[in-house]
């Protein structure tokens, strides 16, 4: 029994350690964020930067792609998506609440999917 | 609402399209503006694009600012035809002039350096008013002018420009470009210009324009590897410039060094080699490192009548810059080191002023930009110079957009430099003035370094007027000298005095600007400028000589719609009104060699017409000084050039009258 626990713990910690090593301080990540205009761009980028660990955030008005460089030790792409949804913009994983969406300026009311 | 409008526009445009049997190809070409002003850049920077440069078809960097209100262009003397630029009421030595961010016009090349870069080589010019960036050095006081040359990687295979003018100046520019491999590109620029005929429109027995010959060759290589993040430039450049001026009958072979006839020759040979290497970190596009190196050898051999002036400058400049972020890209910084070495071999007649100057410095510049309506650049550097000592250079720039299309800017900074009194004032050699340096305790010619603070504010607003876009701007800058090398021509017409400032010296500059698109393709640009440049001289506090207090600038440009195959007409007209200027003191001269205390005001007009026949061929004709305004008495004592009253340096207006030119441009794309 004791041995099993030790083995499990070793395996568990071992994996954790391995996962730790893989964490990239400059991880590049591209995701789609819904939006329309220059105003959206400012809002989306500002929201992304509000997440500690985000080093660079560029949202393209044409392609709606958000290019991120982030420190995986401090945050995950999901954290960023949550922050962006909170200011009213839908992402693939996190949708904005209706209330947040309605708070957007008229020119930013993108078509929701 | 937005959608409804879009739908309406779509329908409106669709109908004519439907009615056509065959759909024509629709190309959306964004019109490039000649002068670009950003609302999001922190510094008060104007970008002059190559399109704007085509308006002043001739010839070199000094002449390319004539359609821009931020910079004033004037003649430096009545002999050499050299154009001098001023910003905020201060002459070019107080500007940092760089070529691709490497200091270019400085030291020995101060007087003629701007005429050593042909206009066709230039891709764009960035003009920053007020304190510059600390990255390039500590010398800039009133502003910074950076020239970007055409990049080999974007260049067209062949370009030709031929030019001829009624003052018998001819110019030829050819550019060749070759892609050596997918990563290496190379350009070869050849430039030659000459003025062959002697002209004397004002009948004073002196050439109005010098006889000239210039050969200028630039060969550059660019390496670009996007995958690995490496960029590199290597430039080789050779220039040979010869000017002869003076009396019509002057023959240098016979009369040099004699008093038969008065004449002058200025021969300059220059060699430049510069390299740049840049690396962008692979997974961090916001992090990069750059290393610049420049070596140049400048050799000017000249005489002005019986005055000999020779200066040779061998320089090395190197700059290492690291760019990165703190936390995220809203907080950027640049840090680095630079090193300069200048060996001057300078001879004024028999006096040897040779010296070696060197400095090492470290800089740090922090930029905060909230990616919206506010940004700030805070820079500082510390330098150790063998003559200027160890000193700090702080600089600050702030930008704020209080509302849409409006921008408010503030800048402040310190600059320090050693004045090259002979090189910067060499037009005074062409006079009977005796050079006197009144101080002897300083480290450079017995004088102290110049130190100044510059601060300024500007506001600019874009708006719609009668359905067309307009913008208006207002800026105010002030330069306060802690020390200045005063060049005093107010004491006596037979002397020029150099001394350390004792008292106050300030330059205030106010500019009002209004630009308007009157009709489609028809633009109007205007500016009013007020300069109050005052210095405490030995004889009292005066306005700086040869600097107008009031100036008015206007420019009209009109283009026809681009027709099939790129056929187009372009018209351009520039107007300058220059107010009265304080003149050097000539009161003690005999009556015929006296000038009034102030010059009269006058106006100048330039115009140009360009006809584009296709994307590959165009011709242009133009005129300068169409109103034919000239300064009546340009050379004092011209009847007795070796006498005590001879002076060619008091020039407040053009010496040469109307000038017309024509030229062609041919491209292979």
């Amino acid at each position: 029994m004791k041995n099993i626990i030790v083995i499990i713990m070793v395996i568990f910690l071992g994996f954790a350690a391995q996962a730790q090593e893989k964490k990239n301080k400059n991880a590049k990540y591209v995701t789609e964020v819904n939006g329309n205009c220059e105003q959206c761009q400012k809002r989306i980028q500002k929201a992304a930067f509000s997440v500690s660990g985000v080093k660079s955030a560029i949202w393209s008005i044409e392609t709606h792609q958000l290019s991120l460089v982030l420190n995986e030790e401090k945050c995950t792409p999901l954290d960023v998506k949550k922050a962006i949804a909170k200011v009213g913009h839908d992402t693939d994983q996190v949708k904005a609440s209706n209330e947040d969406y309605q708070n957007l300026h008229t020119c930013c009311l993108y078509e929701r999917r | 609402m937005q959608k409804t409008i879009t739908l309406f526009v779509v329908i409106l445009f669709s109908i004519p399209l439907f009615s056509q049997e065959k759909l024509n190809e629709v190309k959306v070409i964004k019109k490039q503006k000649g002068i670009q002003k950003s609302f999001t850049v922190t510094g008060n920077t104007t970008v002059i694009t190559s399109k704007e440069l085509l308006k002043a078809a001739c010839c070199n960097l000094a002449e390319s600012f004539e359609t821009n209100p931020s910079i004033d262009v004037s003649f430096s003397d009545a002999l050499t035809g050299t154009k001098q630029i001023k910003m905020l009421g201060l002459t070019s030595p107080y500007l940092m002039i760089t070529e691709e961010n490497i200091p270019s016009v400085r030291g020995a090349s101060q007087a003629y350096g701007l005429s050593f870069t042909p206009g066709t080589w230039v891709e764009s010019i960035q003009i920053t008013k007020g304190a510059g960036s600390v990255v390039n050095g500590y010398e800039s006081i009133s502003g910074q002018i950076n020239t970007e040359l055409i990049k080999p990687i974007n260049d067209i295979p062949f370009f030709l420009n031929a030019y001829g003018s009624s003052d018998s100046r001819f110019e030829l520019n050819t550019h060749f470009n070759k892609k050596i491999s997918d990563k290496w590109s190379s350009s070869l620029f050849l430039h030659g210009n000459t003025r062959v005929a002697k002209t004397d429109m004002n009948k004073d027995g002196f050439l109005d324009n010098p006889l000239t010959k210039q050969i200028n060759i630039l060969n550059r290589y660019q390496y670009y590897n996007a995958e690995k993040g490496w960029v590199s430039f290597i430039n080789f450049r050779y220039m040979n410039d010869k000017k002869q001026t003076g009396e019509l009958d002057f023959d240098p072979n016979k009369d040099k060094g004699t008093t038969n006839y008065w004449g002058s020759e200025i021969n300059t040979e220059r060699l430049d080699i510069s390299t740049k290497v840049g690396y962008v970190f692979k997974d961090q596009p916001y992090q990069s490192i750059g290393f610049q190196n420049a070596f140049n050898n400048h050799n000017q051999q000249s005489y002005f009548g019986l005055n000999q002036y020779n200066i040779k400058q061998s320089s090395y400049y190197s700059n290492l810059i690291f760019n990165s972020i703190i936390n995220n890209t809203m907080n950027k910084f640049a840090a680095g080191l630079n090193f300069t070495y200048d060996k001057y071999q300078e001879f004024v007649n028999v006096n040897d002023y040779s010296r070696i100057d060197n400095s090492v410095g470290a800089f740090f510049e922090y930029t905060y930009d909230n990616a919206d309506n506010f940004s700030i650049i805070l820079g500082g550097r510390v330098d150790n110079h063998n003559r200027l000592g160890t000193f700090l250079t702080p600089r600050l720039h702030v930008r704020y957009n209080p509302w849409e299309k409006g921008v408010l800017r503030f800048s402040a900074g310190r600059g320090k430099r050693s004045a090259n009194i002979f090189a910067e004032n060499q037009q005074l050699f062409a006079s009977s003035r005796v050079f006197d340096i009144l101080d002897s305790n300083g480290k450079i010619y017995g004088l102290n370094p110049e130190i100044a603070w510059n601060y300024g504010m500007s506001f600019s607003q874009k708006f719609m007027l009668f359905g067309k876009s307009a913008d208006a701007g207002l800026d105010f800058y002030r330069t306060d000298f802690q020390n200045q090398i005063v060049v005093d021509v107010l004491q006596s017409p037979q002397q020029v005095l150099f001394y350390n400032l004792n008292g106050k010296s300030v330059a205030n500059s106010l500019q009002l600007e209004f630009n308007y698109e009157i009709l489609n393709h028809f633009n109007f640009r205007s500016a009013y400028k007020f300069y109050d440049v005052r210095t405490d001289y030995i004889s009292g506090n005066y306005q700086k000589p040869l600097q107008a207090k009031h100036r008015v600038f206007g420019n009209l440009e009109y283009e026809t719609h681009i027709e099939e195959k790129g056929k187009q007409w372009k018209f351009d007209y520039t107007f300058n009104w220059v107010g009265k200027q304080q003149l050097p003191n000539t009161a003690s001269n005999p009556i015929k060699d006296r000038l009034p205390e102030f010059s009269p005001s006058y106006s100048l007009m330039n115009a140009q017409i360009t006809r584009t026949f296709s994307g590959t061929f165009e011709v242009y004709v133009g005129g300068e000084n169409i109103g034919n305004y000239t300064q009546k008495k340009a050379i004092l004592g011209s009847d007795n050039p070796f006498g005590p009253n001879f002076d060619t340096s008091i020039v407040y207006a053009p010496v040469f009258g109307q000038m017309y030119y024509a030229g062609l441009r041919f491209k292979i794309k």
Side-chain angles (χ1 to χ4, degrees):
Chain A
M1 188 58 196
K2 241 184 187 176
N3 282 347
I4 294 169
I5 293 172
V6 169
I7 286 167
I8 289 172
M9 276 186 70
V10 165
I11 289 170
F12 189 74
L13 287 173
F15 275 149
Q18 233 177 349
Q20 194 85 42
E21 267 170 40
K22 272 193 180 168
K23 284 200 172 170
N24 188 344
K25 281 190 173 182
N26 296 298
K28 277 191 183 176
Y29 194 80
V30 180
T31 183
E32 188 167 346
V33 178
N34 235 335
N36 293 330
C37 60
E38 215 170 295
Q39 248 192 68
C40 304
Q41 185 184 40
K42 278 181 186 167
R43 189 181 307 109
I44 292 166
Q45 290 175 182
K46 206 176 163 187
F49 279 126
S50 72
V51 178
S52 121
V54 173
K55 293 185 168 183
S56 164
I58 300 162
W59 185 74
S60 158
I61 299 172
E62 284 87 44
T63 63
H64 293 189
Q65 299 294 316
L66 175 70
S67 310
L68 293 167
V69 178
L70 47 83
N71 183 347
E72 285 180 334
E73 286 173 11
K74 290 189 180 169
C75 68
T76 65
L78 186 64
D79 297 336
V80 181
K81 287 172 188 170
K82 279 180 188 163
I84 290 170
K86 207 160 217 165
V87 295
H89 291 271
D90 290 347
T91 63
D92 56 349
Q93 282 173 290
V94 190
K95 295 270 183 280
S97 72
N98 264 333
E99 201 190 352
D100 288 334
Y101 174 77
Q102 292 302 336
N103 279 340
L104 292 175
H105 188 269
T106 39
C107 91
C108 294
L109 294 174
Y110 53 89
E111 257 176 84
R112 300 193 86 168
R113 269 172 269 170
Chain B
M1 185 60 196
Q2 192 80 15
K3 266 186 206 163
T4 325
I5 293 172
T6 314
L7 199 69
F8 183 71
V9 169
V10 165
I11 290 169
L12 201 74
F13 279 99
S14 315
I15 292 165
L17 287 179
F18 277 105
S19 63
Q20 269 177 328
E21 280 194 1
K22 209 174 87 185
L23 278 176
N24 284 323
E25 186 189 4
V26 177
K27 265 191 200 164
V28 180
I29 301 166
K30 205 179 170 200
K31 222 181 94 188
Q32 189 200 28
K33 270 198 154 180
I35 293 183
Q36 296 171 343
K37 285 186 167 183
S38 168
F39 281 75
T40 53
V41 169
T42 313
N44 186 2
T45 303
T46 311
V47 179
I48 306 180
T49 65
S50 56
K51 188 192 168 195
E52 184 70 19
L53 294 168
L54 297 179
K55 284 187 188 174
C58 192
C59 293
N60 55 52
L61 213 50
E63 290 157 320
S64 58
F65 300 106
E66 288 182 356
T67 57
N68 184 305
S70 298
I71 288 180
D72 305 312
V73 184
S74 59
F75 290 90
S76 71
D77 57 77
L79 292 171
T80 59
T82 306
K83 293 201 176 159
Q84 191 185 48
I85 61 163
K86 288 180 184 171
M87 196 199 275
L88 310 182
L90 297 171
T91 50
S92 58
Y94 296 106
L95 295 167
M96 164 77 86
I97 301 174
T98 57
E99 191 170 282
E100 306 200 318
N101 285 311
I102 292 175
S104 60
V105 177
R106 56 185 288 277
S109 63
Q110 199 55 258
Y112 310 114
L114 282 170
S115 67
F116 297 159
T117 301
T120 60
W121 295 7
V122 177
E123 184 183 79
S124 67
I125 304 172
Q126 296 107 38
I127 302 168
T128 306
K129 269 193 188 180
S133 157
V134 292
V135 172
N136 297 318
Y138 49 80
E139 286 179 328
S140 78
I141 289 172
S142 67
Q144 198 168 333
I145 297 176
N146 180 48
T147 309
E148 291 291 324
L149 302 181
I150 296 169
K151 308 281 174 282
I153 206 160
N154 306 322
D155 203 5
I156 54 171
F158 178 76
F159 173 82
L160 173 89
N161 170 39
Y163 167 100
S165 69
S166 63
D167 62 351
S168 82
R169 184 183 157 112
F170 299 95
E171 183 169 326
L172 198 67
N173 285 294
T174 48
H175 305 175
F176 302 91
N177 179 268
K178 200 166 161 48
K179 306 269 175 285
I180 299 168
S181 70
D182 60 335
K183 297 198 172 61
W184 283 95
S185 313
S186 166
S187 284
L188 177 67
F189 295 163
L190 302 173
H191 167 93
N193 78 59
T194 181
R195 186 179 279 114
V196 286
K198 294 182 173 180
T199 48
D200 181 19
M201 303 239 290
N202 54 6
K203 302 274 179 286
D204 60 3
F206 280 75
L207 299 178
D208 295 333
N209 277 317
L211 302 173
T212 60
K213 239 183 245 168
Q214 189 189 105
I215 296 168
N216 212 332
I217 303 166
L218 170 68
N219 188 198
R220 60 192 322 219
Y221 296 86
Q222 183 175 9
Y223 174 83
Y224 183 69
N225 187 338
E227 283 161 42
K228 297 242 167 75
W230 287 96
V231 188
S232 178
F233 286 95
I234 307 165
N235 296 331
F236 301 95
R237 181 162 164 188
Y238 171 80
M239 202 254 353
N240 191 324
D241 183 78
K242 287 184 159 63
K243 294 187 191 64
Q244 184 206 317
T245 183
E247 287 189 277
L248 286 172
D249 296 325
F250 177 77
D251 177 355
N253 298 321
K254 277 193 295 190
D255 306 324
K256 179 182 171 180
T258 73
T259 52
N260 301 343
Y261 293 105
W262 195 96
S264 161
E265 277 186 282
I266 304 156
N267 297 331
T268 311
E269 205 177 16
R270 199 179 154 97
L271 184 73
D272 291 272
I273 299 167
S274 64
T275 62
K276 269 189 188 187
V277 186
Y279 173 71
V280 180
F281 286 74
K282 215 177 166 196
D283 293 317
Q284 293 145 279
Y286 42 77
Q287 186 165 302
S288 65
I289 190 159
F291 189 44
Q292 304 170 332
N293 280 288
F295 166 80
N296 67 62
N297 192 53
H298 180 104
N299 184 1
Q300 179 189 329
Q301 304 285 317
S302 51
Y303 60 90
F304 303 83
L306 297 176
N307 283 330
Q308 287 254 4
Y309 180 63
N310 297 326
I311 183 165
K312 209 167 153 182
Q313 182 184 358
S314 308
S315 294
Y316 172 71
Y317 169 88
S318 150
N319 198 5
L320 179 72
I321 315 170
F322 176 71
N323 284 294
S324 190
I325 58 168
I326 302 168
N327 217 2
N328 58 39
T329 51
M330 291 200 287
N331 303 278
K332 291 185 184 145
F333 72 89
L337 297 169
N338 66 24
F339 175 75
T340 50
Y341 169 90
D342 292 295
K343 181 181 172 191
Y344 292 100
Q345 290 159 280
E346 187 175 30
F347 297 89
V348 181
N349 294 316
V350 292
N351 299 320
D352 184 353
Y353 292 97
S354 298
R355 66 187 190 276
I356 289 174
D357 286 0
N358 57 56
S359 72
V360 280
F363 58 86
F364 186 85
E365 190 176 74
Y366 166 76
T367 305
Y368 171 78
D369 189 336
N370 73 352
D372 188 11
N373 61 358
F374 180 74
S375 58
I376 182 167
I377 301 176
L378 188 63
R381 57 180 295 141
V382 55
D383 288 272
N384 180 277
H385 186 284
N386 64 334
R387 274 167 223 282
L388 307 182
T390 303
F391 57 98
L392 291 168
T393 308
R395 303 266 169 92
L396 171 74
H397 295 259
V398 184
R399 173 204 123 230
Y400 175 60
N401 300 75
W403 45 75
E404 217 183 320
K405 305 252 167 93
V407 58
L408 191 67
R409 291 187 170 98
F410 172 78
S411 74
R414 185 185 197 254
K416 187 169 181 175
R417 62 184 291 274
S418 55
N420 259 296
I421 55 167
F422 298 113
E424 287 162 22
N425 298 289
Q426 54 181 287
Q427 78 276 8
L428 295 168
F429 285 124
S431 72
S432 304
R433 289 180 192 270
V434 174
F435 284 58
D436 269 327
I437 303 170
L438 302 188
D439 292 286
S440 56
N441 296 325
K443 294 251 170 89
I444 312 125
Y445 309 106
L447 299 162
N448 295 331
E450 298 191 291
I451 300 171
W453 284 88
N454 177 291
Y455 14 80
M457 277 188 91
S458 75
F459 178 72
S460 176
Q461 177 77 48
K462 267 191 195 170
F463 53 94
M464 297 301 275
L465 188 68
F466 308 118
K468 294 283 177 191
S469 67
D471 66 88
L474 168 73
D475 63 45
F476 178 78
Y477 285 87
R478 180 184 171 93
T479 310
D480 244 315
F481 282 93
Q482 261 176 5
N483 183 44
Q484 189 177 23
I485 304 309
V486 180
V487 182
D488 189 344
V489 286
L490 295 166
Q491 193 67 19
S492 148
Q494 278 72 42
Q495 264 187 324
V496 50
L497 307 177
F498 296 94
Y499 49 85
N500 292 316
L501 175 69
N502 189 359
K504 269 179 76 171
S505 178
V506 291
N508 291 312
S509 127
L510 175 86
Q511 180 171 325
L512 272 164
E513 227 183 303
F514 174 70
N515 305 308
Y516 184 53
E517 186 186 5
I518 299 169
L519 292 165
N520 211 6
H521 302 308
F522 187 35
N523 290 305
F524 170 70
R525 216 180 269 166
S526 67
Y528 163 75
K529 292 174 277 184
F530 170 78
Y531 296 112
D532 181 30
V533 186
R534 308 191 135 260
T535 302
D536 279 335
Y537 294 91
I538 290 178
S539 48
N541 187 284
Y542 285 97
Q543 284 285 327
K544 195 175 176 224
L546 301 174
Q547 169 66 51
K549 218 169 176 174
H550 305 276
R551 280 171 165 264
V552 175
F553 164 91
N555 177 271
L556 284 169
E557 63 168 18
Y558 177 69
E559 292 176 4
T560 60
H561 205 69
I562 301 173
E563 290 171 49
E564 236 180 295
K565 290 181 190 160
K567 278 184 191 166
Q568 194 187 21
W569 288 95
K570 287 181 206 164
F571 302 89
D572 192 76
Y573 170 83
T574 306
F575 171 86
N576 266 299
W577 179 85
V578 182
K580 65 174 188 176
Q581 306 174 38
Q582 168 84 53
L583 296 181
N585 175 11
T586 51
S588 58
N589 274 352
I591 290 170
K592 70 174 179 55
D593 292 329
R594 267 183 223 168
L595 288 171
E597 203 185 332
F598 287 92
S599 73
S601 61
Y602 65 92
S603 54
L604 293 177
M605 289 175 281
N606 294 347
Q608 185 178 301
I609 301 171
T610 307
R611 172 63 169 160
T612 307
F613 293 98
S614 67
T616 60
F617 185 66
E618 62 191 47
V619 295
Y620 54 86
V621 292
E624 285 182 12
N625 191 8
I626 294 167
N628 204 20
Y629 185 87
T630 55
Q631 180 174 340
K632 291 291 159 293
K633 203 190 288 175
I635 299 178
L636 296 186
S638 56
D639 52 340
N640 182 16
F642 295 96
N645 306 322
F646 181 66
D647 197 343
T648 67
S649 69
I650 308 179
V651 171
Y652 58 83
V655 177
F656 194 81
Q658 280 172 326
M659 189 275 273
Y660 293 95
Y661 60 87
L664 60 88
R665 299 188 191 100
F666 175 71
K667 299 166 199 165
I668 296 176
K669 285 182 183 171

